[in-house]
Amino acid sequence: MSGLESLLDRNALWAKHKVEENASFFSQLAQQQTPKYLWIGCSDSRVPATQVLDLPPGEVFVHRNIANLVVHSDMSCLSVIQYAVEVLQVEHIIVCGHYGCGGVKAVLDGGDHGMIDNWLGHIKDVQRLNSEHLSQLEGDERFDKLCELNVQEQVRNVCNTTVVKNAWKKRKSLTIHGWVYSLSDGILKELCCNRG
Ligand code: CO
């Protein structure tokens, strides 16, 4: 695939196939979105939310950034969480990391990556908080573990947002899940789950 023209051609063909399958596919979706899930994942091109969940457009509200981080002062992520919980009324928030995450690897490898190191500093915090545990592991084991610990820490951060705390105070049904995705076999694994 090369050039933007081929992307537009692919889009036209895709839209045509969708209408052939279901004539009202787009007219229904255009009216409203009623996703049941908020997915907070890594920007990595190999972990697209709807595709790995085998769900069609309209089923998942998505926020992605490098290394699936939930930072207490990140207005973009916090706004997505608020909209998902208070307006869309999702009952599940999934924080999904993945093994082989480049952001996590950059932290483990150390060195200077420029501006992005400011963002990766949040993973460094996770590394420091778990330094005793991580120091007992080596190579891929340590890499995999930090990918998992990062997800668990971000789940904790989601639980600590005012939006989620308020939802739980109002006895809303809202579960925060921590998952990790394996690039090598396409399988999602649950790491933790918090119902408030
Ligand atoms: Co990643």
Side-chain angles (χ1 to χ4, degrees), residues 33-45:
Q33 61 166 340
T34 53
K36 296 181 185 71
Y37 318 99
L38 165 60
W39 171 281
I40 300 173
C42 183
S43 297
D44 193 304
S45 62

Side-chain angles (χ1 to χ4, degrees), residues 21-33:
E21 282 168 22
N22 173 3
S24 59
F25 182 79
F26 291 109
S27 54
Q28 274 173 359
L29 270 180
Q31 306 229 342
Q32 61 167 342
Q33 61 166 340

Side-chain angles (χ1 to χ4, degrees), residues 6-191:
S6 66
L7 289 181
L8 297 176
D9 289 344
R10 290 175 69 91
N11 162 256
L13 206 58
W14 171 79
K16 186 168 165 271
H17 286 156
K18 283 289 164 194
V19 172
E20 279 165 5
E21 282 168 22
N22 173 3
S24 59
F25 182 79
F26 291 109
S27 54
Q28 274 173 359
L29 270 180
Q31 306 229 342
Q32 61 167 342
Q33 61 166 340
T34 53
K36 296 181 185 71
Y37 318 99
L38 165 60
W39 171 281
I40 300 173
C42 183
S43 297
D44 193 304
S45 62
R46 297 165 293 180
V47 198
T50 44
Q51 267 160 299
V52 305
L53 295 173
D54 195 22
L55 288 172
E59 299 288 323
V60 192
F61 201 58
V62 174
H63 180 80
R64 290 167 72 180
N65 61 38
I66 288 177
N68 40 272
L69 298 177
V70 177
V71 176
H72 300 304
S73 55
D74 176 0
M75 285 302 145
S76 173
C77 183
L78 294 178
S79 301
V80 168
I81 294 173
Q82 181 181 10
Y83 191 78
V85 172
E86 295 181 1
V87 180
L88 298 172
Q89 305 271 338
V90 302
E91 294 188 1
H92 299 275
I93 299 177
I94 298 154
V95 176
C96 186
H98 66 103
Y99 296 120
C101 183
V104 174
K105 179 121 194 333
V107 166
L108 283 171
D109 290 349
D112 182 356
H113 309 91
M115 193 281 290
I116 199 174
D117 283 334
N118 297 288
W119 183 250
L120 300 179
H122 299 292
I123 308 174
K124 275 189 191 155
D125 292 341
V126 180
Q127 185 185 34
R128 183 168 36 80
L129 284 167
N130 297 280
S131 57
E132 208 178 301
H133 186 172
L134 288 167
S135 67
Q136 291 161 15
L137 304 171
E138 280 176 41
D140 283 349
E141 264 185 6
R142 184 189 290 174
F143 187 9
D144 288 352
K145 182 52 80 178
L146 187 53
C147 290
E148 293 176 356
L149 289 168
N150 181 46
V151 169
Q152 286 162 301
E153 190 63 25
Q154 305 319 313
V155 165
R156 219 166 280 140
N157 289 347
V158 173
C159 295
N160 280 323
T161 59
T162 50
V163 173
V164 170
K165 283 200 282 194
N166 284 338
W168 282 337
K169 227 183 271 172
K170 290 178 192 158
R171 306 243 160 243
K172 257 193 197 174
S173 168
L174 180 63
T175 309
I176 320 303
H177 308 263
W179 291 357
V180 64
Y181 177 79
S182 168
L183 295 173
S184 57
D185 62 12
I187 298 297
L188 289 161
K189 180 170 85 179
E190 176 155 53
L191 297 173

